[in-house]
Amino acid sequence: MSTERTLVLVKPDGVQRGLIGQVLSRLERRGLKLIGLKLMQMDEALANQHYAEHVEKPFFPGLRDFITSGPLVAAAFEGANAVQLVRNTMGATNPLDATPGSIRADFGVDLGRNVIHGSDSPESGERELALFFESSELVSWDRDVEGWIYE
Ligand code: IDP
Ligand code: MG
């Protein structure tokens, strides 16, 4: 079992629509441990860094305008296989293709308004967490229910 850390963003559409609690709640109840949390607004420089792999894509200007348009919630989650667990709970990138029951299927209809971001690999998780959090903002804590979540 590999403990991983991953960055979750409740994107500006999720914040505007009042979905912060519901999105984070689904990840919490899955058994993921929250180790960092903040409300913030991305600027262009951070958007360019965070979405570095997409900067040259035709959809990037629209994505950058959207992601910097209002506040978002950045959350750090930790746990065994945290990256894959978050990705599965999120659903496919396009809400149209996302499995019913996943966050993107249950809360969204449009590719460019898909409510949540989750890192796509453990390496991306570490890279992205470093963009959004100082190491002092990530809290290491013991959870008493661990034995009821992991065998
Ligand atoms: P992911 O968020 O599931 O990892 P990526 O391919 O990394 O998906 O794309 C990052 C974000 O960019 C997506 O969540 C989506 O909001 C947006 N995006 C991706 N592809 C398109 C597109 O073709 N048109 C508009 N927006 C897109
Ligand atoms: Mg991605």
Side-chain angles (χ1 to χ4, degrees), residues 59-116:
F59 64 81
F60 183 70
L63 173 60
R64 186 189 53 212
D65 289 350
F66 160 67
I67 206 73
T68 60
S69 66
L72 54 73
V73 166
F77 281 97
E78 183 180 86
N81 307 305
V83 167
Q84 198 188 339
L85 281 168
V86 169
R87 295 285 295 187
N88 289 345
T89 310
M90 273 169 39
T93 305
N94 191 335
L96 208 51
D97 303 323
T99 306
S102 66
I103 291 167
R104 283 166 164 173
D106 288 357
F107 296 131
V109 293
D110 198 296
L111 175 57
R113 300 286 185 274
N114 61 3
V115 178
I116 179 173

Side-chain angles (χ1 to χ4, degrees), residues 6 29 53 59 95 122 130:
T6 188
R29 80 182 185 196
E53 64 177 316
F59 64 81

Side-chain angles (χ1 to χ4, degrees), residues 7 15 26 56 66 76 87 91 108 111 142 148:
L7 174 75
V15 174
R26 284 174 176 229
E56 301 302 330
F66 160 67
R87 295 285 295 187
L111 175 57
D142 294 326
W148 302 102

